[in-house]
Amino acid sequence: MRLGIDVGGTNTDAVILDSADRVLAKGKTPNSEDIVSSIEKVVSEVMQHSGVDPGQITHAMLGTTQVTNAIIERRGLARVGILRLGAPATRAIRPLAAWPQDLRTSIEGPAAILPGGVEYDGRPISVFDEAAVREAVRKMRGRVEAFAVSSVFSPVKSDDERRTAEIITEEVGEGIPVSISSEIGSIGLLERENATILNAAVTQVALRVVRAFENALRRLGIEAQLFLSQNDGTLMTIDYALRYPILTVACGPTNSIRGAAFLSGLDDAVVVDVGGTSTDVGVLSSGFPRESAIAVEIGGVQTNFRMPDLLSIGLGGGSIVRLVSDGPDDEVHVGPESVGYAITKKALCFGGDTLTMTDVAVSRGMAEIGDRRKIRVEQNVIEAAYCRAEEMFEEAIDRMKTSSRDVPVVAVGGGSILLPEKLPGVSKLHKPPHFEVANAVGAAIAQASGTIDRVFSLDNRSRDDVMDEARKTAFEEAVRAGADEESLEIVEVEEVPLAYLPGNAVRIKIKAAGRLKSYREDA
């Protein structure tokens, strides 16, 4: 049996799946200020409804926004010692350039730019200086809580980064986390360095989340193997998650997209996930979320590690509807403000004092929750709010399409009751069973994956040799993340010739995914 949990911005959802991937029980509860309490409450409910003994749960998967929230709120972050290997070529721009000042104040520790790093084909830029690294680490010792190491083109050759990590451990011991950029980002140095520094800063946050989650399940008598969702729609073991916590950012929407694929049976579609506060629109490509092709900002910082291609709009079941006077006519505004998890107290249909989009759906007969008689609002306001929501959905879907053709759309999330049966540009709207807990289902059915993104020189090697090496590396990463080697398959290949570099350089990105190894061991 598997337990899938997703902690969103408004609700915490949970499902229990059996060995045949059938949903045995599902639950949803509004978030409390203490997220662990919400997890315990909803898991207790689904355990009770399913009749499953806690000892039968073998795997528990968690998708959480805690790491994202820590970055956005600048809360609980570690002070990071920063080592960049690439001098003298990279001294023009210091680490943390263009970071928001408040985030910089929360994270910034001593920084050093030292010799090392390689060209795109692996030739050294300057000779790695062990003594200089050791001296820099000794100066940082006792002043930082984590280290971040990056070097030029380390995804091509990471020897200098790895030796630096060994020196750090020799000097400060194994208790302080060390993040190296070749394991986190892709080619661009500054964006990769940014992602590595963020990863180092949130390692303690991830440790607290994991320990709290383990304790919550233990109190419920569940001694399952624990996994965390990552932002490409797959899972990672606890050890892997503690090493790369930044990969949990944006895992919520990807869980929904993976859940939408599983519940609808579609591999290619637009997925619209309507929650209590916002709507996330993503694209399902070959069964996995389409990844963003541009640099992604996290907390105001540009990074270049894998992230889903998403569009978020301020429209959800808790979105507040306002009548705004504008000249001779009144205008109806929808969101982006939301009553969030207080919807059961604030919405009119629950006896509250705020008109929300849930009230609009109930008033139009699209949902049967609360008390419709308590919604005393003129019908023209209700219809105007609904028309505005339709326009927002239509525009968001159009912006994610890559052609003018009509596309299938899968609607998931508790707020998807707001979506009309037909929309311009949509060939068919699918609303599969269990759509309201698709995110938790996505967490429970997810696979483990590994990705490689590197530049290779084809001067002295054949293309087949390079592709074999890339494929093997992606497989090794997937196994490290917890995948069963025998089930692995290549799910994505990108090959881009780099005409501006000598030596027939080519950038290759390969992603491998497979079932969790522990599934087979438990079968």
Side-chain angles (χ1 to χ4, degrees), residues 88-99:
T90 62
R91 285 182 173 148
I93 301 177
R94 299 283 301 174
L96 306 182
W99 278 46

Side-chain angles (χ1 to χ4, degrees), residues 83 137 147 149 163-173 178:
L83 291 162
V137 173
F147 285 88
V149 183
R163 180 56 191 143
T164 300
E166 290 173 357
I167 293 172
I168 293 171
T169 302
E170 291 167 9
E171 292 295 329
V172 303
V178 181

Side-chain angles (χ1 to χ4, degrees), residues 342-425:
I343 190 167
T344 54
K345 296 178 180 175
K346 294 283 190 180
L348 296 181
C349 64
F350 293 110
D353 57 2
T354 306
L355 177 60
T356 68
M357 284 305 298
T358 294
D359 297 315
V360 172
V362 171
S363 179
R364 298 185 83 252
M366 299 168 66
E368 294 184 3
I369 53 177
D371 187 346
R372 187 175 176 179
R373 293 169 299 180
K374 294 181 178 177
I375 307 171
R376 300 187 182 90
V377 178
E378 293 182 10
Q379 199 59 32
N380 64 326
V381 175
I382 296 291
E383 293 303 320
Y386 184 68
C387 287
R388 177 63 192 134
E390 274 190 327
E391 292 170 358
M392 294 169 74
F393 284 130
E394 181 186 341
E395 182 183 345
I397 293 169
D398 269 350
R399 288 176 61 184
M400 295 302 289
K401 291 164 63 176
T402 55
S403 76
S404 59
R405 291 184 304 173
D406 290 358
V407 295
V409 168
V410 184
V412 295
S416 61
I417 55 173
L418 299 173
L419 274 163
E421 292 296 326
K422 292 184 178 179
L423 272 173

Side-chain angles (χ1 to χ4, degrees), residues 10-12 28-32 38 41 340-344:
T10 304
N11 296 303
T12 297
K28 182 185 289 284
T29 190
N31 289 342
S32 60
S38 302
K41 183 173 186 292
Y341 61 81
I343 190 167
T344 54

